[in-house]
Each structure stands twice: as structure tokens, then as C-alpha cells.
Amino acid sequence: MSEEDLLNFAELQDDPTSDAQIELWIYTCFLIFTRIDSMEHLERAIRHAEGWVTETTDGHPDRARRFEILDTMSARMSERREIEDLHEAIELGRRSVAETPASHPDLAGRLSNLGSRLGDRYERMGALEDLEEAIELGRRAVATTPAGHPDLAGRLSNLGSRLGDRYKRMGAFEDLHEAIELGRRAVAETPASHPNLAGRLSNLGSRLRDRYKRMGALEDLEEAIKLGRRAVAETPAGHPDLAGRLSNLGSRLGDRYQTTGALEDLEEAIKLGRRAAAETPAGHPDLAGRLSNLGGRLGDRYQTTGALEDLEEAIKLGRRAVAETPAGHLDLAVYLSNLGNQLGDRYKRMGAFKDLHEAIELGRRAVAETLASHPNLAGRLSNLGSRLGDQYERMGALEDLEEAIELGRRAVATTPAGHPNLAGRLSNLGSRLGDRYERMGALENLHEAIELRRRAVAETPAGHPDLAGRLSNLGSRLRDRYERMGALEDLEEAIELGRRAVAETPAGHPDLAGRLSNLGSRLGDRYERMGALEDLHEAIELRRRAVAETPAGHPDLAGRLSNLGSRLRDRYERMGALEDLEEAIELGRRAVAETPAGHPDLAGRLSNLGSRLRDRYERMGALEDLEEAIEITRRTATTIWSAFLDEDITNGITTSRLIHFQA
């Protein structure tokens, strides 16, 4: 319906009587508000909803839903009033600054206050011009504040915060350096007993964490953690900012865990996250963020230990974070995206297609909720592209892959040169182009994927926690090109990159097992090409280490068991040692047992086990091996057929088509 049709309908139905008419009229008024920004129609919708709820008796089946409708509309009204109040505060601030003589002692304070309000509006609306003006006002406020003035520290801190915001948006390293220097000056200017010292320590720590994420210098992270501990210690019990400082400290400890693999940091981060959530009252505007942060840390522990209960709790916390966030809130997209990532992890573990569908839907909502100019749009485009890539791998629908590539290109295009996340987005786009190469065989896709991954490595500083992963990823694409073109230099470079990736990964790191496994695969390739037995022996040892580094219950354990079994079978075929074949069969059994029913890799693992049992039958002549191999072949066929049925039904393919296919 057009806006005119909606307006006419609302006027004709201005006095609805039945429940159905009331609900339709409320939604019509709300739709008019969303279409033409009519506050009058939002107010009318809320008035009718309030009356409707008041007349709804206890126990009415629609009572909860009617309260939800009223809450949603009231939240939009509250947000709109807050924004209107902010606009008014900025206009008053402009008038105040304009009325203040250049030499007036209060000018610096008024400049700083106006800059703070513009910074607030930037955080709500994402308009870069507000941030630029806030920085300019902050510079003027600092310049007109005499040395030793009691408000100088606060103005330095405010200006540093705004420069930190611009760094996150634009990625200009000079903004981050200046923000850190201003933060250091603000802390130095603040007396030991000052009530704002804790906040300034925490702010400086946040900027140092940003630099760590860009450059990977562990000393920045160590200092950020020390500052976070001081900020928490300086904050009295019951202080309204205690929860936020606990949460910030937990995030930094989580970063150190991801770098060093020290599980005690992750455990402390989770404890701090739980304290932060417990210290935050119900209804507090930061509760959702703290729930989401805690969920992120539990997700990290799941990635390390494979404990499904951590992932389940992370998903529950993510759902609470989304539920606590009103429609239109600036951070809603963050929580939608985080929840989608966790559901994507559960899909990878359990293979439940509904999790992947929901993850994609949440990713689409996150992108839709993000302003075109928002600095986090690129990251959300990239995340959605990753989920669509997962769906492509499961279903094989080329349109999913094409959309994932398009989203990846948009993510890269909207990320400024030098931005700390550019390397990751280049790497993700390279992955998708690699997928298209595997599907279509177009060599230009593979060449581009390799070039993107070379750029990703080049953009990553030495010592950065993500360097090892990017080296490993580049090696994987070079291995693909070796398999296509047979150029030994690609395989040699892939092996060298794999060795560097392993060397860059600390003992106990959650990704060490995967990198050991990848290097083992490349050495296995060289063994197949060159026949050097030392490559096969090393490949087996690397895969043993990969299995040993993988916790029980981890989603990748089954694949690593299966891969080790494959290399042992290779050595059996070369050397004829029966113990290698026996171990390969045992590993195959474990791999199948670790793979959930319905998992897309179950059929392949059953097939591998059946092949090894046939090998033993051929060697030993035991009929039970042949019978088991035949039974496993039947299971493999059933598994493939069931997967086909499930996936086609999910895609809406009719039963009649399936019957026709069977016939």
C-alpha cells in the first residue's frame, strides 16, 4: 500500500472496536510512522495499544503478545525522544559556544560539552561529520585549557576517545597513536585519589587493546590488562561503572588467551564476565552487551575444549542479549551478528540445518540494521558471506556462493587501507573465491584467491596473533594450485608456509592441532609426488600430534582421526606393516563414532572405514571383515540418500519429484 492509502485507511478506521480491528489499526499507524516518520501516528498507536492492554484480562491467551506490541512501540518512542533531546542539546550547545567570547574562561568547557554531545550522536547515528566536528571541538577545548587546570585531564581523555572512534571507523593509525598519547597525558594529569582515575585508566587500556589488535605487540596487551586491573581495583563495590570495567578486563584477558592459549586467562575472563553480568541490573542499557561478551568468551572455550554445554550457554546468552535490545537500537546488529556466529558454530558441530538457516537470517538482519555509513558494516557483510559460504558447502547452490563473493567484495571495498580488519576480510574473500574455483574450475578464481591471501599476509604485522592462520590459509590455496598445475614450487611454498604457521603458534593454542594437520597433508602430497618416506613418516607424526592436541568431543576430532588413518593406510600400502592397517581401522571406527548422525562428513568416514576393512580382508581373509565392509557400504548409501532427502525437502522440493527420482 502507498503512504496515501495507509493514511486514508487510518482515518477511516479511527475508532476500531473488535480486537482484530484494533490490532490492524495499531499496526497501520506504526507502519505510517516507519514510512513517513510521523510522530503523531506513533503516539496514536501507543495510546490505542495502552487502552487495549488495560482491557485485556489476566489469563487472556494474547495478553503477553499485546504487552510485547506495546513495549516495542514504547521503545521506539523512547529512542526517538532521546534522539530529539540530543538534537536539541546540540543546538543549545552551538548557541552557547556562539554566545561565548573567545577569551571567556568557560569557553573550553562549552566546546568540550558540545563535542561530547556530537560524539553521542555519532554513536547513535553514525554520521562521520558529527565525529569530525567533535574532534575539532575537542582540540579547541584542549588548546584553550591552561596547563594544570583541573578539567584538563577530562578534556584530554574525551578528545582521545573521539580519536579512538575515528580510528575504528577509518583505520588511520595516526589517530590511534594520538589517542594513546592523550590517554597517557590524561592519566598523568589525574591525582591518585581522583574519582575519575579508574575511568581514564580503563579508557587508556581500551586504546592500547586497539593497537594490540592492529599490530599484535603483546606489550600493548599486557599494559592494557594491567590498566584494567588497576581500574577495577580503583572502583568501589556497588559503583555503577564496576560492571563495565570487569567486562573490559575480561575482554583483554580473552585476547591474551587467543594469543598465548593460556587457559587460565580464558577461565578468568569467563569469571569476570559472569561478575559483570551479575552486577548489571535487569533493564540496564548495557546488560545486553555484557551478556553478549560473556557468550563470546564461552564460545572461545567451546572452540578450545569442544564442550557443547559452553556453546549452548553462549547461544542462550546471545538470545537474551537480542531479546534485551529494543528494535532500532544501534547495538542490535552487533548482538544479531554474534548470535548468528554461535549458531554457525553449532551447525558445524552438529550439522543441524536449522541452525545454519537461522544464522543466515540473523546475519541478514544484522546487515539490514546497520547504517550504510556505519564502520561495522564491512564486518557484518563479511560474517554473512561466511555463513552463506557454509550453506554453499552443504547444499551446493551456486547462488549462495555468488552472493557470498559479492558480500566479500563489498566488505573489502568498504574497509579503508590500513584498517586492522582488512587482512581478515581479504582472507575471507580469498576463501570464497577458492570455493568457486573448486566448483567451476576457473583458474582465474584460484589466482585471485592466492593474491588476496598474499595481501592478507602482507597486511599482518610480524607477531600478530592472526599471522599463523593467514600463513596456513595461503598455503592451502597454493596446495590447490599445485593439485591443478603440478608446479612443485607451489607445494614447496605451501610446506614452508605451513612450517612457519606451526612455528608461530604457541604450545596449547586452540588452532595448533589444525595447523599441524594441514602441514601433515602437504607433506603427504609431497610423499605422493616424490616418494620420500621421510615425508610420510613426518606427516604421520604431525597428524598424531594434531589428534593428541584435540580435546575429546571437539568438532574436528573425527576428521583428524580419519586423516591420520589415511596416512597410516598409505604407509601400510608402502611397507606392508599390519600394525599400521590395524591402527588405521581403529582410528576409522573412532572417527565414525565421533561423527553425529546427519553430519555431512559421516558418509565419507564410513566409506574410508569400509575400504580399510576390505584391505584387511584381502590380507587376512577373515570373512567378518568383508561382511562388515559390505554392511558399512550399505550404511554409506543410506546416509547419502537420507542427506539428499533432508536437504531437498528443506529446499522445498516436492515429494512427487523425490518419488520420481527414486523410480
Side-chain angles (χ1 to χ4, degrees):
M1 294 177 71
S2 68
E3 284 82 2
E4 184 179 354
D5 290 337
L6 288 169
L7 289 164
N8 289 336
F9 180 83
E11 293 308 315
L12 288 171
Q13 302 291 327
D14 193 31
D15 190 23
T17 53
S18 71
D19 284 341
Q21 290 173 335
I22 292 170
E23 184 168 358
L24 179 59
W25 191 85
I26 289 169
Y27 275 126
T28 301
C29 287
F30 187 67
L31 186 57
I32 292 168
F33 160 71
T34 60
R35 289 267 191 93
I36 65 172
D37 201 32
S38 167
M39 287 296 290
E40 175 194 351
H41 284 87
L42 179 58
E43 289 167 357
R44 290 164 70 182
I46 290 171
R47 282 199 304 272
H48 272 75
E50 286 170 344
W52 195 33
V53 166
T54 301
E55 293 172 5
T56 305
T57 58
D58 292 343
H60 191 286
D62 286 339
R63 183 174 172 81
R65 188 172 62 81
R66 293 175 186 179
F67 270 106
E68 183 181 7
I69 292 168
L70 176 58
D71 285 347
T72 299
M73 294 181 181
S74 297
R76 291 297 291 272
M77 175 66 82
S78 176
E79 289 164 16
R80 181 56 188 269
R81 284 175 176 159
E82 286 173 10
I83 292 170
E84 288 179 349
D85 287 345
L86 189 54
H87 290 328
E88 185 179 0
I90 288 168
E91 288 311 306
L92 290 169
R94 290 193 195 285
R95 288 175 56 191
S96 176
V97 166
E99 295 280 342
T100 306
S103 59
H104 196 283
D106 292 336
L107 177 61
R110 291 168 188 165
L111 290 165
S112 184
N113 289 344
L114 175 56
S116 295
R117 298 291 78 73
L118 285 160
D120 292 340
R121 188 164 72 181
Y122 165 75
E123 290 175 359
R124 291 294 296 267
M125 310 295 290
L128 190 59
E129 58 268 26
D130 281 339
L131 182 58
E132 297 289 358
E133 186 179 359
I135 290 169
E136 180 56 30
L137 289 164
R139 292 196 189 285
R140 288 178 60 195
V142 167
T144 52
T145 304
H149 192 284
D151 292 331
L152 178 60
R155 291 166 192 165
L156 290 164
S157 185
N158 289 347
L159 175 56
S161 295
R162 297 286 81 79
L163 286 162
D165 290 339
R166 188 166 70 182
Y167 163 73
K168 289 178 180 175
R169 172 74 172 263
M170 306 301 292
F173 210 32
E174 58 269 23
D175 281 340
L176 182 56
H177 280 314
E178 186 180 1
I180 289 170
E181 287 311 305
L182 289 164
R184 291 196 192 284
R185 286 180 60 194
V187 167
E189 291 276 344
T190 307
S193 59
H194 196 283
N196 291 334
L197 177 61
R200 290 166 192 164
L201 291 165
S202 185
N203 288 346
L204 174 57
S206 295
R207 297 291 78 75
L208 285 161
R209 183 196 184 205
D210 291 338
R211 189 164 70 184
Y212 160 75
K213 285 185 166 290
R214 172 74 172 266
M215 301 301 293
L218 197 57
E219 58 267 26
D220 280 338
L221 182 57
E222 296 291 356
E223 186 179 1
I225 290 169
K226 286 177 184 173
L227 290 165
R229 292 198 190 282
R230 283 182 62 195
V232 168
E234 291 277 343
T235 307
H239 191 283
D241 292 331
L242 177 60
R245 290 166 192 163
L246 290 165
S247 185
N248 288 345
L249 176 56
S251 295
R252 295 165 199 168
L253 287 162
D255 292 337
R256 189 165 69 183
Y257 158 74
Q258 289 174 349
T259 301
T260 67
L263 201 56
E264 59 269 24
D265 281 337
L266 182 57
E267 296 295 347
E268 185 180 1
I270 290 169
K271 286 178 185 173
L272 289 164
R274 292 197 191 283
R275 280 184 62 196
E279 290 273 346
T280 307
H284 191 282
D286 293 331
L287 177 60
R290 289 163 195 164
L291 293 168
S292 186
N293 288 346
L294 173 57
R297 298 289 78 77
L298 287 162
D300 290 340
R301 189 164 69 182
Y302 161 74
Q303 294 287 351
T304 302
T305 66
L308 196 57
E309 59 269 24
D310 281 336
L311 182 57
E312 296 292 354
E313 185 179 0
I315 290 169
K316 285 178 185 173
L317 289 164
R319 292 197 190 283
R320 282 184 61 197
V322 169
E324 289 277 341
T325 308
H329 192 282
L330 198 63
D331 290 332
L332 178 59
V334 178
Y335 309 142
L336 290 166
S337 185
N338 290 348
L339 175 57
N341 289 338
Q342 288 152 358
L343 286 162
D345 288 340
R346 189 166 69 181
Y347 160 73
K348 288 177 181 176
R349 170 70 174 269
M350 305 302 290
F353 210 38
K354 65 180 188 301
D355 281 338
L356 182 56
H357 276 310
E358 186 180 1
I360 290 170
E361 182 57 32
L362 289 165
R364 292 196 191 283
R365 285 181 59 197
V367 167
E369 289 277 343
T370 307
L371 296 168
S373 60
H374 196 281
N376 292 335
L377 177 61
R380 288 163 197 160
L381 292 166
S382 186
N383 288 345
L384 175 57
S386 294
R387 296 289 79 77
L388 286 162
D390 292 338
Q391 184 165 270
Y392 162 74
E393 289 173 2
R394 174 73 174 265
M395 305 298 291
L398 195 57
E399 58 267 26
D400 284 335
L401 181 57
E402 296 295 348
E403 185 180 0
I405 290 170
E406 178 58 29
L407 289 165
R409 292 198 190 282
R410 284 179 60 196
V412 167
T414 52
T415 305
H419 192 281
N421 293 330
L422 177 60
R425 291 164 193 163
L426 290 164
S427 185
N428 288 347
L429 175 56
S431 296
R432 300 288 78 79
L433 286 162
D435 291 338
R436 188 160 70 184
Y437 160 73
E438 290 171 2
R439 171 70 173 267
M440 308 298 289
L443 204 54
E444 61 268 24
N445 288 154
L446 182 55
H447 290 321
E448 186 181 1
I450 290 170
E451 286 313 303
L452 287 165
R453 287 192 156 173
R454 288 200 193 281
R455 284 181 60 195
V457 168
E459 290 276 342
T460 308
H464 192 282
D466 293 331
L467 177 60
R470 290 168 190 160
L471 291 165
S472 185
N473 289 344
L474 173 57
S476 296
R477 289 285 78 84
L478 286 162
R479 183 196 185 200
D480 290 340
R481 190 162 68 185
Y482 162 74
E483 291 178 345
R484 171 71 175 269
M485 307 296 290
L488 194 58
E489 58 268 28
D490 280 339
L491 181 57
E492 297 291 356
E493 185 181 0
I495 290 170
E496 179 56 30
L497 289 164
R499 293 197 191 283
R500 285 181 60 195
V502 168
E504 290 274 344
T505 307
H509 192 281
D511 293 330
L512 178 59
R515 290 165 194 163
L516 290 164
S517 184
N518 289 345
L519 177 56
S521 296
R522 293 162 199 165
L523 286 161
D525 292 337
R526 191 164 68 183
Y527 162 74
E528 291 172 1
R529 170 76 173 264
M530 308 298 290
L533 202 55
E534 60 268 25
D535 281 339
L536 181 57
H537 289 322
E538 186 180 1
I540 289 169
E541 286 313 303
L542 287 164
R543 287 190 157 174
R544 287 198 195 284
R545 285 180 60 196
V547 168
E549 290 277 343
T550 307
H554 193 281
D556 292 330
L557 178 59
R560 289 169 191 161
L561 291 164
S562 184
N563 289 344
L564 174 57
S566 296
R567 290 284 80 85
L568 285 162
R569 186 191 186 202
D570 290 341
R571 191 163 68 182
Y572 164 74
E573 291 177 346
R574 172 76 174 266
M575 307 295 291
L578 192 59
E579 58 267 27
D580 281 339
L581 182 57
E582 297 287 359
E583 186 179 0
I585 290 169
E586 179 57 29
L587 289 164
R589 292 193 195 285
R590 287 180 59 196
V592 168
E594 290 278 343
T595 307
H599 193 282
D601 293 330
L602 178 58
R605 290 166 192 162
L606 286 165
S607 181
N608 287 345
L609 175 57
S611 296
R612 293 164 199 165
L613 286 162
R614 281 193 298 274
D615 290 339
R616 190 164 68 181
Y617 164 73
E618 290 169 2
R619 171 76 173 265
M620 306 298 290
L623 197 57
E624 58 267 27
D625 282 339
L626 181 59
E627 288 170 348
E628 186 179 358
I630 292 168
E631 180 56 33
I632 285 172
T633 301
R634 289 196 181 104
R635 278 186 66 193
T636 304
T638 302
T639 300
I640 293 169
W641 179 246
S642 297
F644 173 80
L645 291 179
D646 289 345
E647 291 173 6
D648 273 9
I649 288 166
T650 302
N651 278 330
I653 295 176
T654 64
T655 304
S656 62
R657 177 182 160 185
L658 294 173
I659 293 168
H660 175 73
F661 184 90
Q662 281 181 295

